[in-house]
Amino acid sequence: MAASTSTSSADVIEANPGVPYRLTADDFERMIETGIIPDDRRVGLWEGRLYESMAKKMPHAISSSKLVMALVRLVPDGWFLWAENPITIAVDKVPLPDLAIVRGKPDDYKDRRPESGDVALVIEVADKSLRKDTGPLLESYARAGIPVYWVVNLAARLIQVYQG
C-alpha cells in the first residue's frame, strides 16, 4: 500500500520563509493596465496587498444609491461624484471607497487615478465593515490628508463625520 502525502500552503511557507513582496500603487496600476487583474474584478490595494471587494447586500446597495441621488445634485462645479472607484492615498494603498467627491472632471483622470489631494470627501457605507471603516480606513484617510470622511453606519442609522 502506498502512502500519500499532501502539502498545504502552510507547509510551503514554512519550507520557504521569506518576506512577502509588497506591491506599490504603480505596480497595481501596471497589473490593471496589462490585464493581470481582470477588468470585471473590483480589486484594491491595501498595505501592499491585493484585496477583492465583497459583494454588497441590499441595504448597502440601496444606501449607496440614495447617497448618489442626493449628492449628485449638491456637488459644486469643479467637482464630481466618484462612485466605487479607486483613489491613491499612499504608495501602497489604493482603496475602493463607496463614494468620493473628486476635483475636476472624470476625463482629468484618463492617465492617472485621483490622489488624496484631489479628494474633498470620502464616504464608506458600513454594515459588516464598521470596525474596518472606523479603524484602519479612518486612520489612513486622515494620514493621507482627506479633509472629510463619512461612515454611513447602517446598524445605528446615522452618519459619522470625521474631519481632518
Side-chain angles (χ1 to χ4, degrees):
M1 179 192 276
S4 72
T5 60
S6 65
T7 304
S8 72
S9 59
D11 294 334
V12 172
I13 291 170
E14 286 180 27
N16 299 306
V19 177
Y21 181 82
R22 302 280 189 200
L23 300 171
T24 66
D26 289 339
D27 296 332
F28 177 65
E29 180 65 30
R30 282 191 299 277
M31 292 173 78
I32 292 169
E33 292 302 318
T34 60
I36 293 171
I37 298 173
D39 291 340
D40 63 341
R41 305 302 282 271
R42 293 197 63 239
V43 177
L45 181 71
W46 191 257
E47 294 182 346
R49 296 180 183 166
L50 298 175
Y51 70 93
E52 188 164 12
S53 289
M54 304 279 287
K56 294 181 181 181
K57 294 188 176 171
M58 289 314 293
H60 189 289
I62 290 166
S63 296
S64 294
S65 294
K66 287 180 177 181
L67 282 164
V68 167
M69 289 175 13
L71 290 173
V72 77
R73 294 180 289 223
L74 301 173
V75 175
D77 286 343
W79 297 86
F80 67 97
L81 193 59
W82 187 252
E84 299 183 24
N85 290 310
I87 59 173
T88 300
I89 63 169
V91 70
D92 64 346
K93 289 185 177 91
V94 183
L96 300 165
D98 290 313
L99 299 167
I101 305 296
V102 176
R103 179 186 331 272
K105 302 177 295 259
D107 285 341
D108 295 340
Y109 299 96
K110 287 186 289 198
D111 299 322
R112 69 177 186 94
R113 112 182 10 95
E115 298 173 355
S116 53
D118 302 312
V119 179
L121 168 66
V122 168
I123 302 169
E124 294 288 0
V125 177
D127 41 16
K128 302 266 190 250
S129 63
L130 184 62
R131 182 173 289 167
K132 177 187 75 167
D133 293 337
T134 58
L137 274 175
L138 169 62
E139 293 167 14
S140 293
Y141 288 139
R143 262 194 309 277
I146 302 293
V148 183
Y149 175 52
W150 292 359
V151 175
V152 179
N153 183 333
L154 295 180
R157 300 181 55 84
L158 61 89
I159 298 175
Q160 297 169 228
V161 177
Y162 302 92
Q163 290 183 282

